[in-house]
């Protein structure tokens, strides 16, 4: 096993704990999703050996290949999370592959997922992705549209929405991202006041997860701080 991955994971866990304690939170409230896009199966296995149980992938096809290679190798307690933009023609495969889909941002997509979950005899766990900034290119539902979406999704019986996810705009300084994390928490609190139960807040990546934890993240999605820089071809 490469010491590098084990040490990085232990350092990330420590930083999560410290951030939680600074905010007066129980560190056990925060789950680490190791983001494994572009990461080869062998390194994923090392991360799981080091204790990681949640794995995040952003492309369905890539996830499919890795899950096939790793089937029977990883313990059953490992769960795969879809964290990338999900095209509707990949929804069926996503339902087959992922324990949780974090990137649902439209009623149409939710309905499709519901239909495939029904066919698969599965209750699909979801997060709703909220767009707080970033122009047209970013996915996510607008904060104004969230309640209507939650109401419609509440009528679909093969889905359970467990919380909200966001990808804030890229900013150099983690402190500058704080208002976006706080905003997602406030939006969640507002929705809970209207009767929706949304315990999970998926926010924070390698550059800013400590700030996200201070602002209430229950899932942080960390890739490069564990596996090193991704080499894009
Ligand atoms: C790639 C990715 C991450 C992890 O990014 P790092 O900066 O490598 O930690 C988190 N969330 C999403 C949605 C991603 O696509």
């Amino acid at each position: 096993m490469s010491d590098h991955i084990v040490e990085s994971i232990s350092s990330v866990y420590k930083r999560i704990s410290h951030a939680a304690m600074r905010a007066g939170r129980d560190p056990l409230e925060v789950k680490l999703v190791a983001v494994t896009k572009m990461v080869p199966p062998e390194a994923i296995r090392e991360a799981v050996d080091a204790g990681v149980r949640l794995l995040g992938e952003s492309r369905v096809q890539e996830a499919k290949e890795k899950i096939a290679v790793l089937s029977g190798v990883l313990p059953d307690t490992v769960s795969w999370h879809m964290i990338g933009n999900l095209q509707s023609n990949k929804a069926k495969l996503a339902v087959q592959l992922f324990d949780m889909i974090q990137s649902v941002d439209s009623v149409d997509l939710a309905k499709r997922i519901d239909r495939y979950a029904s066919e698969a005899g599965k209750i699909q766990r979801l997060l709703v992705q909220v767009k707080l900034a970033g122009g047209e290119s970013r996915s996510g539902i607008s904060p104004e549209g969230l309640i209507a979406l939650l109401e419609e999704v509440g009528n679909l019986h093969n889905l359970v929405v467990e919380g909200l996810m966001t990808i804030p705009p890229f900013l150099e300084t983690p402190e500058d991202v704080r208002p976006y994390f706080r905003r997602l928490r406030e939006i969640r609190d507002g929705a809970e006041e209207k009767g929706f139960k949304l315990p999970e807040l998926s926010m924070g990546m390698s550059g800013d997860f400590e700030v996200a934890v201070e602002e209430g993240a229950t899932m942080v999605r960390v890739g490069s701080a564990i596996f090193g820089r991704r080499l894009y071809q």
Side-chain angles (χ1 to χ4, degrees), residues 181-200:
F181 296 145
R182 185 170 296 171
R183 180 91 200 284
L184 191 72
R185 170 165 46 89
E186 288 167 356
I187 289 168
R188 186 276 305 273
D189 292 348
E192 290 210 318
E193 276 167 24
K194 293 194 162 75
F196 298 99
K197 242 184 127 230
L198 301 166
E200 304 288 357

Side-chain angles (χ1 to χ4, degrees), residues 35 37 58 83-84 165 167 204-207 221-225 230:
V35 175
K37 64 182 182 216
S58 56
I83 61 171
M165 180 270 229
I167 305 173
M205 320 200 318
S206 291
R221 309 179 306 266
V222 179
S224 47
R230 286 178 291 276

Side-chain angles (χ1 to χ4, degrees), residues 106-139:
S106 75
V107 173
D108 279 354
L109 181 58
K111 282 184 175 160
R112 241 171 215 269
I113 294 170
D114 179 70
R115 180 153 45 90
Y116 295 128
S118 167
E119 285 171 18
K122 172 182 187 185
I123 302 294
Q124 180 65 53
R125 300 165 62 207
L126 306 178
L127 301 180
V128 172
Q129 182 174 351
V130 179
K131 178 162 89 170
L132 300 177
E136 290 308 308
S137 62
R138 275 257 183 267
S139 23

